[in-house]
């Protein structure tokens, strides 16, 4: 049984931002419970990175536009004979609910930005070793509070991101499921094709090949070059089979 690795590559700026947000949200979940300095610094570093990403662009506007676009796509699907209309209706309702919640929430990340502890830790993270107990006595005290008290505070922080997480999960799920994997073959480690307005490339590659893809391009055209993990002794086969989905 071969182990396969899934590589995902964004073909536009909004998808790049969304994948980064998804990655950071996953990292936040992985650092729970926050019960020592290691998990706390992992958690706060990811909160800081997430706020940086959210401050750079119009994330809410882009998500609302995408929810509307997906709603229109489902509307078109509903007219295809033999389609599962109950499934389409359920998804359209989810999109509508998500859009409503996202529109009515305050600025995404504002609750985290205004928190004093998050702000203090965020300031010190850029200093090497800057979160020692003598640098950040407030964090030191917080880490000695009862676990239940800390859990409740962390939960309230994460809860404030729920409208963003819900909308993003729904959108990425629909985009990822919009195209099936198809078998492709690269020649001498190179493959190119038309993107046909795709947002995301998904590529399945066998682990035992010891190769990784370097992808360049945008929504209308892309190129993939397969590189050996061992840059000195690794070999790229003349013909390489892999699976690709343009979503």
């Amino acid at each position: 049984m071969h182990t396969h690795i899934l590589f995902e590559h964004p073909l536009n700026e909004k998808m790049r931002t969304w994948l980064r947000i998804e990655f950071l949200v996953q990292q936040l979940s992985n650092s729970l419970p926050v019960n020592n300095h290691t998990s706390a610094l992992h958690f706060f570093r990811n909160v800081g990175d997430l706020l940086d990403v959210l401050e750079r662009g119009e994330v809410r506007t882009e998500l609302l536009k995408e929810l509307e676009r997906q709603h229109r796509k489902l509307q078109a699907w509903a007219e295809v004979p033999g389609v599962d209309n109950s499934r389409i209706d359920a998804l359209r309702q989810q999109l509508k609910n998500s859009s409503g919640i996202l529109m009515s929430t305050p600025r995404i990340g504002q609750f985290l930005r205004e928190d004093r502890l998050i702000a203090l830790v965020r300031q010190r993270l850029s200093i090497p070793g800057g979160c020692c107990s003598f640098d950040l006595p407030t964090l030191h005290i917080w880490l000695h509070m009862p676990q239940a008290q800390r859990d409740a505070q962390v939960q309230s922080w994460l809860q404030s991101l729920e409208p963003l997480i819900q909308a993003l999960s729904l959108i990425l799920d629909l985009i990822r499921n919009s195209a099936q994997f198809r078998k492709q073959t690269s020649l001498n480690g190179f493959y190119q094709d038309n993107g046909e307005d795709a947002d995301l490339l998904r590529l399945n590659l066998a682990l035992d090949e010891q190769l990784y893809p370097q992808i360049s391009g945008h929504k209308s055209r892309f190129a993939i070059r397969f590189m050996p993990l061992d840059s000195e002794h690794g070999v790229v086969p003349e013909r390489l089979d892999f699976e690709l989905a343009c979503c």
Side-chain angles (χ1 to χ4, degrees), residues 178-191:
S178 68
Q180 290 182 318
F181 282 101
R182 298 184 193 285
K183 189 180 157 192
Q184 308 291 356
T185 305
S186 79
L187 301 174
N188 298 315
F190 187 72
Y191 178 87

Side-chain angles (χ1 to χ4, degrees), residues 30-44:
N30 292 343
S31 51
L32 302 180
V34 178
N35 53 12
N36 55 33
H37 262 93
T38 306
S39 57
L41 292 183
H42 184 59
F43 180 84
F44 286 114

Side-chain angles (χ1 to χ4, degrees), residues 11 27 43 62 81 83 90 97 105 109 151 156 162 166 206 219:
L11 292 173
Q27 295 302 303
F43 180 84
E62 288 290 354
V83 78
N97 292 347
T105 52
D151 286 346
S156 74
E162 204 47 48
Q166 192 187 12
K219 63 183 181 178

Side-chain angles (χ1 to χ4, degrees), residues 81-225:
V83 78
D84 182 351
N85 271 309
S86 60
R87 173 90 180 114
I88 297 268
D89 288 345
L91 282 169
R92 282 167 69 184
Q93 192 54 51
Q94 274 181 275
L95 287 165
K96 194 177 168 188
N97 292 347
S98 205
S99 193
I101 292 166
L102 199 57
M103 281 170 92
S104 62
T105 52
R107 191 174 168 219
I108 296 171
Q110 195 58 30
F111 183 67
L112 301 177
R113 265 182 222 100
E114 289 171 356
D115 188 274
R116 186 168 171 271
L117 181 61
I118 290 174
L120 283 170
V121 178
R122 213 177 154 195
Q123 279 170 9
R124 307 292 309 179
L125 280 169
S126 59
I127 302 162
C131 295
C132 290
S133 58
F134 60 85
D135 279 313
L136 266 179
T138 39
L139 177 64
H140 192 60
I141 294 170
W142 189 73
L143 284 168
H144 283 80
M145 299 280 191
Q147 186 65 42
Q149 194 176 330
R150 211 165 32 251
D151 286 346
Q153 189 162 9
V154 168
Q155 204 46 50
S156 74
W157 289 334
L158 294 178
Q159 198 64 43
S160 73
L161 295 170
E162 204 47 48
L164 164 72
I165 295 167
Q166 192 187 12
L168 188 60
S169 300
L170 184 55
I171 284 168
L172 290 178
D173 204 34
L174 285 167
I175 289 172
R176 284 177 174 132
N177 287 306
S178 68
Q180 290 182 318
F181 282 101
R182 298 184 193 285
K183 189 180 157 192
Q184 308 291 356
T185 305
S186 79
L187 301 174
N188 298 315
F190 187 72
Y191 178 87
Q192 62 179 356
D193 202 357
N194 294 322
E196 293 168 4
D197 274 353
D199 290 305
L200 178 71
L201 288 185
R202 309 185 81 214
L203 193 151
N204 253 330
L205 197 57
L207 175 61
D208 53 16
E209 298 285 2
Q210 295 283 290
L211 300 170
Y212 64 91
Q214 274 193 344
I215 302 170
S216 58
H218 46 79
K219 63 183 181 178
S220 57
R221 189 140 191 85
F222 64 87
I224 304 170
R225 187 169 290 287

